[in-house]
Amino acid sequence: MAARNIGSVNSPHQSSGEPLLVVTNLVQEFSVPKRGSLRNATVSAVADVSFVVDRGETLAIVGETGSGKTSLARTLLGAPPPKKGGITIDGHDVTKRNRATRKAQSRLVQMIFQDPSSALDPTWSVQRIVSEPLQKLGLSRQERDDRVADTLRRVGLNPERHSRRRPSELSGGQQQRVAIARALVGRPALTVLDEPVTALDAATQSQVVELLAELKNEFGLTYLLIAHDLAVVQQLADRVATMYLGKICEEASVATLFSTPAHPYTAALLSAIPSFTPDERPRLRLLGEPPSPIDPPTGCRFRTRCAFAQEVCATVEPRLREVAPGQNVACHFPLGADGTPSTTVPAPESLGTVA
Ligand code: SF4
């Protein structure tokens, strides 16, 4: 986790209260070779995940490498489609892989990737890269050119100077601006930002975060932000969901999650950054090593790394439940405002599946 402060671009909460992305009981699994066996093993990358993102809102998904956040993002784009569960974007069921869905998909969701140099075709000009998503919209050549020039200007590039260049003739920050222009030129309903500034230097990161915030406010965009950098999350997101081994373990507004995290995993992530943990709250450490996603722990998946694990945590999976207005936590012994477990007996509402 990075601890830098890259400047404040916080904006008022823009959520409309109108669901745009609805994810229901989503499951994504992958087959991987199993050491010492001819059979493949199954990795449960996304395990029964449900959440909603309102129109105009930014939801950040945070977690360590291997938490399932990138698998979740790619599943939303249909690459690959989910094993089980539902995804609707702007009322369209995008799990249906028919022609109509594939055609609508690029207008429903676009993704901005971590590394623009590998996401942009090196042989194409900026003009061709940015105009490509417009090909299927039935616009005239002039309309497409005008839309591309407007969008390039809006992301801080000069159409006259930059549109004929190839990606290799641009800086990293300019390349990411081209990637943002390409993602937004078709006005998608949802934009997935996959670690959008991780590959950039610190000064450029700050500019790109500011640009993303401005574009969101100006066009009422809806973002799903995949990030491990909590400074970026704090500046761009309205709400945050923490993921661990394919499960959402906490979900709350940015203000609540950063001030009073109730799940020990969220508290441990924040504890790694001294400025994010008030002096009066104890700093939590992650115990041991991350378990294998091929064979996750029984009961609570976080129990092998949790300082507060008790017997019940090994046998009963905790359910996601509301512990404060808008704050949902999957833990039998959620943390109170002082950062210690607020209860010594599991609440009946937390008792989910028995292992
Ligand atoms: Fe820790 Fe138990 Fe809560 Fe899991 S359910 S986070 S092991 S206290």
Side-chain angles (χ1 to χ4, degrees), residues 194-211:
D194 185 10
E195 306 276 9
V197 297
T198 303
L200 307 175
D201 63 66
T204 312
Q205 283 189 4
S206 173
Q207 293 165 8
V208 171
V209 168
E210 278 181 33
L211 173 64

Side-chain angles (χ1 to χ4, degrees), residues 4 13 15 22 25 31 37 64 92 98 126 128 131 135 139 165 254-255 307 337 347:
R4 299 132 328 82
H13 183 74
S15 168
V22 180
N25 303 118
S31 248
S37 169
E64 300 165 290
H92 297 262
N98 53 31
V126 168
R128 187 173 173 197
S131 68
Q135 301 293 338
L139 303 175
R165 294 195 187 169
V254 167

